[in-house]
Amino acid sequence: MQSNKINAAITAVGMYVPEKVLDNHYFEKIVETNDEWIKARTGIKERRIIENGATSDLAFRAAEDLFKTTTVKPEEIDLIIVATVTPDMFFPSTACLVQSKIGADKAWGFDISAACSGFLFGLDAAARFVESGVYKKVLLIGADKMSAITDYTDRNTCILFGDGASAVLIEPADDKTTGYIDSILRIDGSGKDALNMKAGGSLNPATYETIDKKWHYIYQDGKAVFKVAVKGMADVSVEIMEKNNLKSEEIAYLVPHQANLRIIDATAERMGISKDKVMINIDRYGNTTAATIPLCLTEYYRAGKIKKGDKLILAAFGAGYTWGASYLIWSID
Ligand code: UT7
């Protein structure tokens, strides 16, 4: 008997990264660091920085790029989800700002604050909305202007982050053998002290003091986050393989969040996946938070490296803590 279950699938992709490049040598001039340390400890060679504009502009450009590749028009979008920790402002949501920029006249929408896991959480939400049958076209965008919250005098964090955005369209899959299959998603608020931006919210509204203390910038205890990220990302990635009876040789690609090449390598090793089957863009873009995973998907798809039917595991770890892994079968020819 044919199942009536709707399978949600990514049916189009788009991306935007700003033109301005900051390479590692730039940081040698502003903080005590060097190219060798940054490459060896993180895998980053350069990152992009937006000179004029906010997160909604990055997101808009990624959406604009997506709409060039599909017959779907902005006015047909039912729902817009923007994953970001750098919204243009507290409210309105970045989804609202994107809605008016693209002219999605019939859409509703909201933002997801899940830091580096934002795209995975957004993908799960988008897929479940589509699977419900209530919504047919969901635009999901991972976008972050990390340069807006980066302290360029702090060598521990300033070398890590970049700006970028990437958009995916989620629709019912034509072919029920492809699409979004499964996810394991987690949060743990005890991670709040290790990675955060302390001020600007209701706990510490902006004052001269919060500015003096640099509380409007990213704070990270890198070593502490590194340890939990390695374990968290690898654990859920292995768990989702076991849950779906997936052998490592069946997986076309691991698509990991790009925070540190050493975390990515450790995850791939635990999964038994070789390095040539791991998507990487950290060398060129650094950590673009909610954008890293969809940027990987867009670039690898456009380079002809992913084909319809390929089994992908997406995995992330970020502030919160938030983390998770998703399993999908690629749907675009
Ligand atoms: O995306 C959200 C989740 N975030 C993550 O997953 C990030 C997790 N953490 C990391 O990726 C790493 O911890 C970092 C890349 C942030 C740092 O690497 P590390 O190997 O953990 O370095 P560390 O913090 O243990 O620092 C080692 C040394 C320290 O010097 P001492 O104390 O040993 O003398 C640091 O002061 O390296 C020093 N250091 C630097 N040296 C040159 C820290 N930053 C720099 C720098 N250049 N930029």
Side-chain angles (χ1 to χ4, degrees), residues 33 41 116 155-156 220 222-223 257 259-260 262-263 287:
T33 191
R41 306 309 291 169
C116 301
R155 71 172 183 172
N156 292 296
Q220 175 171 251
K223 220 175 268 203
H257 169 57
N260 188 314
R262 291 181 290 144
I263 299 174
N287 184 349

Side-chain angles (χ1 to χ4, degrees), residues 13-16 58-59 62-63 66 119 140-144 164-168 290-299:
V13 292
M15 63 176 276
Y16 176 72
L58 296 166
L66 178 148
F119 182 78
L140 167 65
I141 309 175
D144 270 299
S166 182
V168 300
T292 67
I293 290 176
L295 281 172
C296 277
L297 289 172
T298 306
E299 289 195 328

Side-chain angles (χ1 to χ4, degrees), residues 3 11-12 39 47 64 88 121 136 146 155-156 160 178 203 221 248 268 290 296 299:
S3 158
T11 57
K39 279 193 300 211
R47 67 292 285 147
E64 197 178 41
D88 287 26
F121 287 18
K136 294 195 166 47
M146 296 306 289
R155 71 172 183 172
N156 292 296
L160 299 172
T178 71
L203 179 64
D221 176 347
S248 52
C296 277
E299 289 195 328

